[in-house]
mmCIF file of all heavy atoms in Angstrom:
data_model
loop_
_atom_site.group_PDB
_atom_site.id
_atom_site.type_symbol
_atom_site.label_atom_id
_atom_site.label_comp_id
_atom_site.label_asym_id
_atom_site.label_seq_id
_atom_site.Cartn_x
_atom_site.Cartn_y
_atom_site.Cartn_z
ATOM 1 N N GLY A 124 -91.778 211.715 89.630
ATOM 2 C CA GLY A 124 -92.463 211.252 90.817
ATOM 3 C C GLY A 124 -93.788 211.896 91.119
ATOM 4 O O GLY A 124 -94.473 211.476 92.073
ATOM 5 N N GLN A 125 -94.175 212.858 90.317
ATOM 6 C CA GLN A 125 -95.462 213.550 90.565
ATOM 7 C C GLN A 125 -96.460 213.188 89.495
ATOM 8 O O GLN A 125 -96.163 213.244 88.299
ATOM 9 C CB GLN A 125 -95.228 215.081 90.555
ATOM 10 C CG GLN A 125 -96.501 215.877 90.751
ATOM 11 C CD GLN A 125 -96.286 217.389 90.625
ATOM 12 O OE1 GLN A 125 -95.150 217.836 90.486
ATOM 13 N NE2 GLN A 125 -97.346 218.165 90.689
ATOM 14 N N ARG A 126 -97.719 212.793 89.906
ATOM 15 C CA ARG A 126 -98.740 212.499 88.914
ATOM 16 C C ARG A 126 -99.167 213.772 88.202
ATOM 17 O O ARG A 126 -99.496 214.748 88.864
ATOM 18 C CB ARG A 126 -99.975 211.852 89.561
ATOM 19 C CG ARG A 126 -101.001 211.387 88.538
ATOM 20 C CD ARG A 126 -102.262 210.805 89.162
ATOM 21 N NE ARG A 126 -103.169 210.260 88.210
ATOM 22 C CZ ARG A 126 -104.025 210.997 87.482
ATOM 23 N NH1 ARG A 126 -104.115 212.297 87.672
ATOM 24 N NH2 ARG A 126 -104.838 210.394 86.598
ATOM 25 N N ILE A 127 -99.124 213.743 86.866
ATOM 26 C CA ILE A 127 -99.441 214.937 86.120
ATOM 27 C C ILE A 127 -100.684 214.776 85.261
ATOM 28 O O ILE A 127 -101.164 215.703 84.610
ATOM 29 C CB ILE A 127 -98.281 215.370 85.205
ATOM 30 C CG1 ILE A 127 -97.844 214.228 84.283
ATOM 31 C CG2 ILE A 127 -97.087 215.856 86.050
ATOM 32 C CD1 ILE A 127 -96.794 214.604 83.235
ATOM 33 N N GLY A 128 -101.282 213.569 85.247
ATOM 34 C CA GLY A 128 -102.479 213.346 84.484
ATOM 35 C C GLY A 128 -102.636 211.863 84.130
ATOM 36 O O GLY A 128 -101.980 211.010 84.644
ATOM 37 N N GLY A 129 -103.608 211.614 83.224
ATOM 38 C CA GLY A 129 -103.861 210.230 82.822
ATOM 39 C C GLY A 129 -105.131 210.136 82.004
ATOM 40 O O GLY A 129 -105.659 211.161 81.498
ATOM 41 N N THR A 130 -105.624 208.944 81.804
ATOM 42 C CA THR A 130 -106.826 208.717 81.020
ATOM 43 C C THR A 130 -107.700 207.684 81.719
ATOM 44 O O THR A 130 -107.212 206.699 82.331
ATOM 45 C CB THR A 130 -106.462 208.216 79.645
ATOM 46 O OG1 THR A 130 -107.696 207.973 78.921
ATOM 47 C CG2 THR A 130 -105.683 206.934 79.637
ATOM 48 N N ASP A 131 -109.015 207.936 81.649
ATOM 49 C CA ASP A 131 -109.991 206.991 82.218
ATOM 50 C C ASP A 131 -110.687 206.203 81.142
ATOM 51 O O ASP A 131 -111.573 205.361 81.422
ATOM 52 C CB ASP A 131 -110.996 207.728 83.064
ATOM 53 C CG ASP A 131 -110.369 208.350 84.290
ATOM 54 O OD1 ASP A 131 -109.640 207.673 85.016
ATOM 55 O OD2 ASP A 131 -110.572 209.602 84.541
ATOM 56 N N TYR A 132 -110.374 206.495 79.863
ATOM 57 C CA TYR A 132 -110.947 205.750 78.749
ATOM 58 C C TYR A 132 -109.816 205.701 77.702
ATOM 59 O O TYR A 132 -109.630 206.654 76.920
ATOM 60 C CB TYR A 132 -112.202 206.392 78.191
ATOM 61 C CG TYR A 132 -112.906 205.609 77.110
ATOM 62 C CD1 TYR A 132 -113.339 204.317 77.330
ATOM 63 C CD2 TYR A 132 -113.086 206.170 75.833
ATOM 64 C CE1 TYR A 132 -113.975 203.605 76.316
ATOM 65 C CE2 TYR A 132 -113.730 205.448 74.846
ATOM 66 C CZ TYR A 132 -114.175 204.178 75.060
ATOM 67 O OH TYR A 132 -114.812 203.471 74.060
ATOM 68 N N GLY A 133 -109.072 204.618 77.692
ATOM 69 C CA GLY A 133 -107.768 204.568 76.996
ATOM 70 C C GLY A 133 -107.837 204.582 75.489
ATOM 71 O O GLY A 133 -106.789 204.645 74.868
ATOM 72 N N TYR A 134 -109.015 204.491 74.894
ATOM 73 C CA TYR A 134 -109.141 204.514 73.446
ATOM 74 C C TYR A 134 -109.005 205.907 72.826
ATOM 75 O O TYR A 134 -108.874 206.035 71.608
ATOM 76 C CB TYR A 134 -110.475 203.902 73.007
ATOM 77 C CG TYR A 134 -110.612 202.415 73.289
ATOM 78 C CD1 TYR A 134 -111.407 201.958 74.335
ATOM 79 C CD2 TYR A 134 -109.966 201.487 72.499
ATOM 80 C CE1 TYR A 134 -111.538 200.617 74.580
ATOM 81 C CE2 TYR A 134 -110.082 200.119 72.750
ATOM 82 C CZ TYR A 134 -110.893 199.693 73.801
ATOM 83 O OH TYR A 134 -111.042 198.361 74.029
ATOM 84 N N VAL A 135 -109.156 206.926 73.663
ATOM 85 C CA VAL A 135 -109.007 208.289 73.121
ATOM 86 C C VAL A 135 -107.714 208.918 73.673
ATOM 87 O O VAL A 135 -107.303 208.614 74.762
ATOM 88 C CB VAL A 135 -110.238 209.182 73.455
ATOM 89 C CG1 VAL A 135 -111.485 208.640 72.797
ATOM 90 C CG2 VAL A 135 -110.445 209.295 74.949
ATOM 91 N N GLY A 136 -107.113 209.760 72.862
ATOM 92 C CA GLY A 136 -105.854 210.352 73.247
ATOM 93 C C GLY A 136 -106.024 211.561 74.159
ATOM 94 O O GLY A 136 -107.107 212.075 74.430
ATOM 95 N N PHE A 137 -104.868 212.068 74.620
ATOM 96 C CA PHE A 137 -104.867 213.222 75.454
ATOM 97 C C PHE A 137 -103.450 213.817 75.425
ATOM 98 O O PHE A 137 -102.474 213.174 75.041
ATOM 99 C CB PHE A 137 -105.258 212.893 76.895
ATOM 100 C CG PHE A 137 -104.353 211.952 77.595
ATOM 101 C CD1 PHE A 137 -103.384 212.397 78.484
ATOM 102 C CD2 PHE A 137 -104.445 210.578 77.403
ATOM 103 C CE1 PHE A 137 -102.535 211.507 79.150
ATOM 104 C CE2 PHE A 137 -103.618 209.708 78.028
ATOM 105 C CZ PHE A 137 -102.621 210.172 78.934
ATOM 106 N N GLU A 138 -103.349 215.081 75.831
ATOM 107 C CA GLU A 138 -102.047 215.729 75.972
ATOM 108 C C GLU A 138 -101.910 216.350 77.355
ATOM 109 O O GLU A 138 -102.916 216.728 77.982
ATOM 110 C CB GLU A 138 -101.818 216.760 74.862
ATOM 111 C CG GLU A 138 -102.694 217.942 74.922
ATOM 112 C CD GLU A 138 -102.464 218.932 73.775
ATOM 113 O OE1 GLU A 138 -101.893 218.502 72.760
ATOM 114 O OE2 GLU A 138 -102.902 220.077 73.886
ATOM 115 N N LEU A 139 -100.655 216.479 77.797
ATOM 116 C CA LEU A 139 -100.366 217.061 79.099
ATOM 117 C C LEU A 139 -99.340 218.159 78.909
ATOM 118 O O LEU A 139 -98.293 217.938 78.322
ATOM 119 C CB LEU A 139 -99.815 215.994 80.065
ATOM 120 C CG LEU A 139 -100.713 214.818 80.365
ATOM 121 C CD1 LEU A 139 -99.989 213.760 81.159
ATOM 122 C CD2 LEU A 139 -101.991 215.263 81.110
ATOM 123 N N ASP A 140 -99.659 219.318 79.402
ATOM 124 C CA ASP A 140 -98.741 220.476 79.376
ATOM 125 C C ASP A 140 -97.737 220.321 80.523
ATOM 126 O O ASP A 140 -98.128 220.432 81.682
ATOM 127 C CB ASP A 140 -99.502 221.795 79.457
ATOM 128 C CG ASP A 140 -98.626 222.999 79.198
ATOM 129 O OD1 ASP A 140 -97.403 222.911 79.476
ATOM 130 O OD2 ASP A 140 -99.133 224.014 78.724
ATOM 131 N N ILE A 141 -96.483 220.059 80.201
ATOM 132 C CA ILE A 141 -95.461 219.822 81.235
ATOM 133 C C ILE A 141 -94.418 220.947 81.240
ATOM 134 O O ILE A 141 -93.295 220.779 81.758
ATOM 135 C CB ILE A 141 -94.769 218.464 81.026
ATOM 136 C CG1 ILE A 141 -94.136 218.332 79.610
ATOM 137 C CG2 ILE A 141 -95.786 217.343 81.215
ATOM 138 C CD1 ILE A 141 -93.286 217.104 79.445
ATOM 139 N N THR A 142 -94.777 222.084 80.697
ATOM 140 C CA THR A 142 -93.863 223.201 80.570
ATOM 141 C C THR A 142 -93.244 223.556 81.915
ATOM 142 O O THR A 142 -92.017 223.755 82.049
ATOM 143 C CB THR A 142 -94.589 224.434 79.985
ATOM 144 O OG1 THR A 142 -95.162 224.043 78.742
ATOM 145 C CG2 THR A 142 -93.626 225.586 79.787
ATOM 146 N N LYS A 143 -94.065 223.656 82.942
ATOM 147 C CA LYS A 143 -93.552 224.112 84.261
ATOM 148 C C LYS A 143 -92.958 223.002 85.067
ATOM 149 O O LYS A 143 -92.136 223.259 85.973
ATOM 150 C CB LYS A 143 -94.740 224.718 85.014
ATOM 151 C CG LYS A 143 -95.321 226.001 84.361
ATOM 152 C CD LYS A 143 -96.447 226.595 85.203
ATOM 153 C CE LYS A 143 -96.992 227.847 84.558
ATOM 154 N NZ LYS A 143 -98.102 228.441 85.330
ATOM 155 N N GLN A 144 -93.276 221.723 84.774
ATOM 156 C CA GLN A 144 -92.771 220.626 85.591
ATOM 157 C C GLN A 144 -91.404 220.149 85.101
ATOM 158 O O GLN A 144 -90.660 219.475 85.872
ATOM 159 C CB GLN A 144 -93.735 219.449 85.571
ATOM 160 C CG GLN A 144 -95.035 219.731 86.337
ATOM 161 C CD GLN A 144 -96.120 220.266 85.450
ATOM 162 O OE1 GLN A 144 -95.824 220.773 84.373
ATOM 163 N NE2 GLN A 144 -97.379 220.105 85.860
ATOM 164 N N LEU A 145 -91.058 220.424 83.860
ATOM 165 C CA LEU A 145 -89.775 219.891 83.320
ATOM 166 C C LEU A 145 -88.557 220.567 83.935
ATOM 167 O O LEU A 145 -88.592 221.737 84.260
ATOM 168 C CB LEU A 145 -89.769 220.144 81.809
ATOM 169 C CG LEU A 145 -90.367 219.075 80.889
ATOM 170 C CD1 LEU A 145 -90.285 219.497 79.432
ATOM 171 C CD2 LEU A 145 -89.735 217.706 81.093
ATOM 172 N N ARG A 146 -87.515 219.772 84.051
ATOM 173 C CA ARG A 146 -86.192 220.263 84.448
ATOM 174 C C ARG A 146 -85.374 220.335 83.136
ATOM 175 O O ARG A 146 -84.936 219.309 82.632
ATOM 176 C CB ARG A 146 -85.558 219.367 85.451
ATOM 177 C CG ARG A 146 -86.367 219.160 86.731
ATOM 178 C CD ARG A 146 -85.841 217.998 87.526
ATOM 179 N NE ARG A 146 -86.666 217.759 88.728
ATOM 180 C CZ ARG A 146 -86.595 216.638 89.462
ATOM 181 N NH1 ARG A 146 -85.709 215.674 89.079
ATOM 182 N NH2 ARG A 146 -87.315 216.456 90.496
ATOM 183 N N TYR A 147 -85.173 221.516 82.649
ATOM 184 C CA TYR A 147 -84.504 221.704 81.341
ATOM 185 C C TYR A 147 -83.025 221.478 81.470
ATOM 186 O O TYR A 147 -82.374 221.900 82.439
ATOM 187 C CB TYR A 147 -84.868 223.075 80.784
ATOM 188 C CG TYR A 147 -86.300 223.256 80.504
ATOM 189 C CD1 TYR A 147 -87.166 223.772 81.458
ATOM 190 C CD2 TYR A 147 -86.854 222.878 79.286
ATOM 191 C CE1 TYR A 147 -88.520 223.901 81.208
ATOM 192 C CE2 TYR A 147 -88.210 223.022 78.994
ATOM 193 C CZ TYR A 147 -89.037 223.512 79.967
ATOM 194 O OH TYR A 147 -90.377 223.650 79.740
ATOM 195 N N GLY A 148 -82.473 220.816 80.455
ATOM 196 C CA GLY A 148 -81.033 220.591 80.440
ATOM 197 C C GLY A 148 -80.576 219.441 81.321
ATOM 198 O O GLY A 148 -79.400 219.217 81.490
ATOM 199 N N GLU A 149 -81.534 218.697 81.923
ATOM 200 C CA GLU A 149 -81.166 217.576 82.785
ATOM 201 C C GLU A 149 -82.217 216.473 82.608
ATOM 202 O O GLU A 149 -83.317 216.667 82.127
ATOM 203 C CB GLU A 149 -81.054 218.023 84.234
ATOM 204 C CG GLU A 149 -82.342 218.661 84.799
ATOM 205 C CD GLU A 149 -82.122 219.097 86.238
ATOM 206 O OE1 GLU A 149 -82.099 218.197 87.146
ATOM 207 O OE2 GLU A 149 -81.995 220.318 86.468
ATOM 208 N N PRO A 150 -81.846 215.237 83.061
ATOM 209 C CA PRO A 150 -82.768 214.101 82.908
ATOM 210 C C PRO A 150 -84.055 214.284 83.702
ATOM 211 O O PRO A 150 -84.003 214.751 84.850
ATOM 212 C CB PRO A 150 -81.953 212.925 83.392
ATOM 213 C CG PRO A 150 -80.537 213.337 83.306
ATOM 214 C CD PRO A 150 -80.524 214.817 83.603
ATOM 215 N N ASN A 151 -85.157 213.819 83.093
ATOM 216 C CA ASN A 151 -86.493 213.779 83.791
ATOM 217 C C ASN A 151 -86.992 212.371 83.657
ATOM 218 O O ASN A 151 -86.941 211.781 82.564
ATOM 219 C CB ASN A 151 -87.450 214.758 83.145
ATOM 220 C CG ASN A 151 -87.099 216.201 83.317
ATOM 221 O OD1 ASN A 151 -87.683 216.890 84.092
ATOM 222 N ND2 ASN A 151 -86.071 216.662 82.589
ATOM 223 N N GLU A 152 -87.517 211.801 84.756
ATOM 224 C CA GLU A 152 -88.074 210.464 84.678
ATOM 225 C C GLU A 152 -89.558 210.510 84.361
ATOM 226 O O GLU A 152 -90.322 211.152 85.069
ATOM 227 C CB GLU A 152 -87.834 209.709 85.953
ATOM 228 C CG GLU A 152 -88.321 208.246 85.855
ATOM 229 C CD GLU A 152 -88.231 207.436 87.142
ATOM 230 O OE1 GLU A 152 -89.036 207.721 88.073
ATOM 231 O OE2 GLU A 152 -87.330 206.608 87.245
ATOM 232 N N LEU A 153 -89.933 209.815 83.301
ATOM 233 C CA LEU A 153 -91.324 209.707 82.928
ATOM 234 C C LEU A 153 -91.773 208.294 83.248
ATOM 235 O O LEU A 153 -91.148 207.280 82.857
ATOM 236 C CB LEU A 153 -91.461 209.952 81.410
ATOM 237 C CG LEU A 153 -92.840 209.890 80.764
ATOM 238 C CD1 LEU A 153 -93.764 210.949 81.400
ATOM 239 C CD2 LEU A 153 -92.761 210.097 79.284
ATOM 240 N N LEU A 154 -92.870 208.159 83.986
ATOM 241 C CA LEU A 154 -93.442 206.881 84.395
ATOM 242 C C LEU A 154 -94.892 206.815 83.991
ATOM 243 O O LEU A 154 -95.665 207.753 84.241
ATOM 244 C CB LEU A 154 -93.301 206.667 85.901
ATOM 245 C CG LEU A 154 -94.006 205.461 86.506
ATOM 246 C CD1 LEU A 154 -93.321 204.176 86.073
ATOM 247 C CD2 LEU A 154 -94.028 205.546 88.020
ATOM 248 N N VAL A 155 -95.279 205.693 83.337
ATOM 249 C CA VAL A 155 -96.665 205.473 82.974
ATOM 250 C C VAL A 155 -97.143 204.182 83.567
ATOM 251 O O VAL A 155 -96.463 203.139 83.453
ATOM 252 C CB VAL A 155 -96.835 205.456 81.441
ATOM 253 C CG1 VAL A 155 -98.271 205.160 81.045
ATOM 254 C CG2 VAL A 155 -96.390 206.762 80.804
#
Side-chain angles (χ1 to χ4, degrees):
Q125 178 184 356
R126 186 183 186 278
I127 56 173
T130 179
D131 295 310
Y132 185 60
Y134 292 105
V135 296
F137 63 99
E138 66 183 18
L139 301 171
D140 189 330
I141 58 173
T142 305
K143 295 181 180 179
Q144 291 93 338
L145 272 179
R146 302 166 184 165
Y147 297 90
E149 57 182 285
N151 294 253
E152 184 184 73
L153 181 61
L154 172 68
V155 178

